[in-house]
Amino acid sequence: MPYNDKLQGDYLMKYDCLIVDDEIMLSENTREYFNVLGVKTAWVADEESCLKFFRENDAGVILLDINLGNTSGFDLCNHLRKTINVPILFISARKSDDDVLLALNIGGDDYIKKPYSLAILLAKVKAVLKRHKINTADEGFFTDNDFHINFADRSVSLRGEKIELKAMEYKLLSYLVKNRNRAVTKDELFKNVWEDSFSDENTLNVHIRRLREKIEINPSEPHYIITVRGKGYLFEVK
């Protein structure tokens, strides 16, 4: 049985990780490996089972394959993003840049190509679980003209309107703002925002572009998030 679909009283069963993949042997091996090493993991094989899982359970991160029989993982990601904000890591044998960019643009937090190392995949999942825990130590505000961040409740607004950010987008913006007027290297962002050394520049570039589209008046000529060629990015406050 891939997961325990019985509610415990009136409470949802809480898992660290949900695998959504129709490759039975690979999924079972991954699930067993994660569980043995302390990451409570469930597995389902299709869209219907995934949606049923989230009606009856919760998970801290989703590992989502693109090819799910008659269903696309892209479509499932779009569906999930309407109701939940759980980090989604795509896992797929498809290696084209177009697939990677599409996965990240529709709300994926990372893209991991098969065949993957179980040890590296586990390290990525643990890093995601760690960084998405609510950091109650964040306090204070940032204000620049009509752009505001409340670090206490993790809210962002521009010209009086709230900006909806994904969890990773908020963490990236928060780190850049707290290190404003200083060029932050890509390696530093991987270490302190993604909290692992396995992410690639495509992932970072897509998140930067999405942030610019949300907070810049003209994303092609950014006022805040400046590219420092050969180094990284700078959040500029004049």
Side-chain angles (χ1 to χ4, degrees):
M1 188 174 184
Y3 71 94
N4 181 359
D5 61 357
K6 301 296 184 183
L7 291 175
Q8 293 187 333
D10 294 326
Y11 297 93
L12 294 177
M13 179 78 77
K14 173 69 175 179
Y15 290 85
D16 295 313
C17 177
L18 173 67
I19 302 167
V20 186
D21 193 342
D22 62 358
E23 289 191 51
I24 297 174
M25 185 173 295
L26 176 61
S27 301
E28 284 283 15
N29 288 341
T30 304
R31 182 179 68 88
E32 291 175 5
Y33 182 81
F34 280 20
N35 280 316
V36 166
L37 294 177
V39 175
K40 186 177 180 181
T41 300
W43 162 66
V44 296
D46 53 45
E47 179 180 33
E48 182 180 354
S49 298
C50 176
L51 298 178
K52 181 175 185 289
F53 174 93
F54 279 106
R55 288 194 296 269
E56 302 172 342
N57 304 273
D58 194 10
V61 61
I62 301 170
L63 296 178
L64 177 59
D65 192 20
I66 293 175
N67 297 318
L68 298 172
N70 295 326
T71 308
S72 164
F74 295 138
D75 292 337
L76 178 53
C77 179
N78 277 322
H79 188 103
L80 291 171
R81 278 288 172 252
K82 295 177 182 177
T83 57
I84 62 175
N85 197 30
V86 174
I88 296 175
L89 311 184
F90 278 92
I91 50 173
S92 178
R94 292 161 62 164
K95 303 182 187 301
S96 77
D97 287 345
D98 288 343
D99 286 325
V100 175
L101 292 173
L102 177 57
L104 297 175
N105 276 322
I106 64 174
D109 293 87
D110 205 345
Y111 191 101
I112 300 152
K113 296 174 183 177
K114 295 180 179 178
Y116 49 70
S117 156
L118 285 176
I120 290 179
L121 184 63
L122 178 63
K124 279 181 168 287
V125 167
K126 285 184 173 180
V128 170
L129 290 170
K130 179 180 178 182
R131 72 173 175 249
H132 283 280
K133 288 181 179 177
I134 296 175
N135 183 2
T136 56
D138 274 350
E139 294 181 349
F141 299 84
F142 167 80
T143 298
D144 183 61
N145 295 320
D146 51 7
F147 180 61
H148 307 278
I149 302 176
N150 183 333
F151 296 113
D153 64 11
R154 301 163 71 91
S155 63
V156 181
S157 64
L158 179 64
R159 295 186 292 277
E161 295 186 5
K162 184 176 180 180
I163 300 175
E164 297 294 339
L165 297 180
K166 299 287 191 301
M168 177 54 68
E169 292 170 354
Y170 171 80
K171 185 164 186 181
L172 177 57
L173 176 62
S174 175
Y175 191 85
L176 289 171
V177 170
K178 290 179 179 179
N179 291 275
R180 53 191 172 273
N181 294 331
R182 176 176 76 83
V184 179
T185 67
K186 295 179 180 180
D187 287 342
E188 181 179 348
L189 291 172
F190 291 144
K191 179 180 178 182
N192 293 288
V193 177
W194 272 262
E195 297 182 13
D196 69 55
S197 57
F198 307 114
S199 296
D200 57 33
E201 289 195 17
N202 272 343
T203 300
L204 173 59
N205 294 340
V206 169
H207 281 80
I208 289 289
R209 179 166 57 80
R210 289 198 307 222
L211 272 180
R212 283 173 171 161
E213 289 171 351
K214 291 180 178 182
I215 72 169
E216 301 282 5
I217 295 174
N218 183 358
S220 62
E221 297 181 6
H223 170 79
Y224 285 117
I225 303 176
I226 309 300
T227 299
V228 181
R229 297 197 179 278
K231 190 167 186 179
Y233 297 96
L234 176 148
F235 190 92
E236 187 172 52
V237 180
K238 297 178 181 178

